[in-house]
Amino acid sequence: KLLLIFGSLLIVSVFVLGVLAMYIARGAVTEKIAIHLKDKAKDTAEVIDGRLTAFWQFLEGVARAPILIDSNISYDEKTLYLSNEAKNNDSIISLYFNTTGGDAYKAGQEKVNIKSQVWFQGCLQGKSTFSTPFKSITDNKLICMAGVPIYDENRIVAVLSAEVDWAFLNALITDIVVGSTGDAHIIDEKGTSIADKDIGLVEQMFNTIEAAKTDKSLQSRAEYLAHVIDTDEAEIGYYTYKGISYITSFATVKSTDWSVVIKAPINEFMGTVQTLRLSMYGIGAAILVIALIITFIVASHMVKPIQTTVEALQGIAQGEGDLTVRLPLHGNDEVTDLSLYFNETIAKIGSSIKAVDKNAHAMEDIGSELSSNMTETASSVHEISSNIESVKGQ
């Protein structure tokens, strides 16, 4: 019973301590991960902001050239100038001169109208803009368009735009690694992927929020990205994608409506916690075995004198009633007291029995004497009776 009781207590104690240790460790690791991911997202957003700002500053410098403002200079001369300027930036494929009506001119190419393009409309409103990636109609390559307004005395007279290789955007996040397999991606204000290690998502202009309307397996990720779009402050979130649980954070690119999302599988960060759990189980099992061995030794030491007492009482009760038996006295504990008082009790019982035996012999002698006296009295009475009868007969 002692082994069962102490063993149960130890198992419960080890289990509770293990659960508490796991909970505390998991909370501490998650907190550190959260801080790391939030900082990572903010830093990435700032880097993207910086690179976009630097790119727009280059375009704004080109846009201030007098040749682009002078209406007496032909479009061919302007586009030739822009063709030479494009060579000064490795990210630019080509530069376009765009009228406010949306006619786009490029050296050696017929004009096209881009009036309906969102990025172009933004430039007409005085904004520096950057489009989401799309496939070029000329060579089917993935490109982006960036634009800045051209001013003449605070009046927008044209728009300068640059055709940019999509790799310019993707280079902003390709080097970001979180954990072992975690990464980053960029979405626009509608949730469309504009930079991702999976180029297929960008080529398809994949929108998780829209796709989740027909694919329920994307529901968790879609809800999170919808929250990202509606929130400006960086924070930590969780979602499940393709059966994997992710911990994630995000930050807004201030110069655009884009959001940078940093994600990594939770299990990659919980490896230390899992190791701790296994260690706790191993240590707990070792402690349990050692404790049970110690409990067995202590219990045996405690129970042995009691068993001796039981055997002595059994011998007295069911055997020949030997009251000379005595228990050994060892130590100075409750079991020793039990043995001491047992010995004293048996000694008193023995003394009482001896006294009873002695008194029994005395009573036997008195009985014999009384019996003899009664016999003599009976004889005397009989003799008296006989004498009385004789007297009556005379």
Side-chain angles (χ1 to χ4, degrees):
K1 288 183 179 179
L2 286 173
L3 287 174
L4 180 61
I5 293 171
F6 283 108
S8 300
L9 288 174
L10 285 168
I11 290 173
V12 172
S13 300
V14 170
F15 176 77
V16 171
L17 286 174
V19 171
L20 288 175
M22 285 288 295
Y23 178 79
I24 294 171
R26 190 179 184 89
V29 172
T30 302
E31 183 180 356
K32 288 187 177 181
I33 294 170
I35 295 172
H36 172 70
L37 288 181
K38 288 173 68 174
D39 290 343
K40 193 84 170 178
K42 289 179 180 178
D43 291 343
T44 303
E46 289 174 0
V47 169
I48 294 173
D49 253 330
R51 293 196 64 178
L52 291 177
T53 300
F55 187 82
W56 282 320
Q57 287 175 345
F58 171 79
L59 292 183
E60 288 168 358
V62 176
R64 285 193 290 268
I67 190 174
L68 299 179
I69 301 173
D70 192 342
S71 59
N72 296 320
I73 299 176
S74 67
Y75 291 135
D76 288 338
E77 291 179 275
K78 292 178 180 180
T79 56
L80 180 61
Y81 165 77
L82 292 177
S83 177
N84 292 326
E85 287 295 319
K87 297 175 183 179
N88 295 324
N89 193 309
D90 295 335
S91 300
I92 296 176
I93 298 174
S94 57
L95 289 172
Y96 291 79
F97 180 85
N98 310 278
T99 66
T100 54
D103 291 331
Y105 295 90
K106 173 187 172 183
Q109 179 178 302
E110 295 183 2
K111 72 175 181 178
V112 293
N113 193 278
I114 56 170
K115 186 177 182 179
S116 62
Q117 298 294 319
V118 175
W119 64 267
F120 177 74
Q121 292 297 325
C123 291
L124 291 181
Q125 296 173 14
K127 300 177 183 178
S128 297
T129 60
F130 213 107
S131 77
T132 57
F134 61 93
K135 287 188 176 181
S136 171
I137 58 176
T138 57
D139 53 16
N140 209 36
K141 288 184 178 180
L142 202 60
I143 61 171
C144 301
M145 293 299 296
V148 295
I150 298 175
Y151 290 93
D152 183 12
E153 297 182 355
N154 298 323
R155 182 173 63 92
I156 298 175
V157 295
V159 171
L160 173 64
S161 62
E163 181 181 336
V164 184
D165 192 331
W166 167 77
F168 171 80
L169 283 182
N170 213 48
L172 302 176
I173 53 94
T174 50
D175 293 336
I176 297 176
V177 179
V178 184
S180 299
T181 61
D183 55 23
H185 61 278
I186 304 174
I187 58 174
D188 66 9
E189 69 279 6
K190 295 180 179 179
T192 303
S193 296
I194 60 177
D196 199 298
K197 286 187 176 181
D198 185 355
I199 189 174
L201 297 178
V202 181
E203 290 177 336
Q204 298 168 23
M205 300 185 71
F206 186 78
N207 188 305
T208 303
I209 299 173
E210 292 298 322
K213 294 178 180 179
T214 55
D215 187 352
K216 297 303 180 184
S217 66
L218 299 174
Q219 191 68 37
S220 177
R221 187 183 188 193
E223 290 176 355
Y224 176 74
L225 293 181
H227 175 70
V228 169
I229 294 171
D230 294 335
T231 307
D232 292 330
E233 292 296 325
E235 59 184 54
I236 293 298
Y238 302 88
Y239 68 77
T240 302
Y241 179 59
K242 293 183 178 180
I244 301 175
S245 296
Y246 289 92
I247 182 171
T248 177
S249 184
F250 65 90
T252 301
V253 180
K254 294 179 181 179
S255 58
T256 67
D257 291 325
W258 302 344
S259 297
V260 181
V261 181
I262 308 289
K263 67 175 175 55
I266 295 177
N267 289 338
E268 288 188 5
F269 295 100
M270 295 303 162
T272 303
V273 178
Q274 299 298 338
T275 302
L276 175 62
R277 183 176 66 177
L278 294 176
S279 299
M280 287 293 296
Y281 287 158
I283 294 171
I287 292 174
L288 180 61
V289 171
I290 294 171
L292 288 176
I293 292 173
I294 295 174
T295 302
F296 176 77
I297 294 172
V298 173
S300 299
H301 179 73
M302 293 173 60
V303 171
K304 187 175 180 180
I306 298 175
Q307 288 177 333
T308 303
T309 304
V310 172
E311 291 172 359
L313 289 172
Q314 185 178 15
I316 295 171
Q318 299 179 355
E320 298 179 355
D322 183 8
L323 297 179
T324 62
V325 65
R326 295 292 184 272
L327 299 178
L329 301 177
H330 300 292
N332 184 24
D333 53 22
E334 289 79 3
V335 176
T336 305
D337 292 340
L338 172 65
S339 300
L340 175 62
Y341 293 131
F342 173 85
N343 291 343
E344 291 181 0
T345 301
I346 295 300
K348 287 184 178 181
I349 292 173
S351 298
S352 298
I353 291 176
K354 287 180 180 180
V356 170
D357 183 57
K358 182 178 180 181
N359 291 334
H361 286 297
M363 291 300 292
E364 185 179 353
D365 292 340
I366 293 171
S368 298
E369 185 177 350
L370 286 173
S371 177
S372 176
N373 291 335
M374 288 297 291
T375 301
E376 290 178 1
T377 301
S379 296
S380 298
V381 171
H382 180 68
E383 184 178 350
I384 292 170
S385 296
S386 295
N387 291 332
I388 291 172
E389 287 297 330
S390 297
V391 172
K392 286 180 178 181
Q394 294 178 353

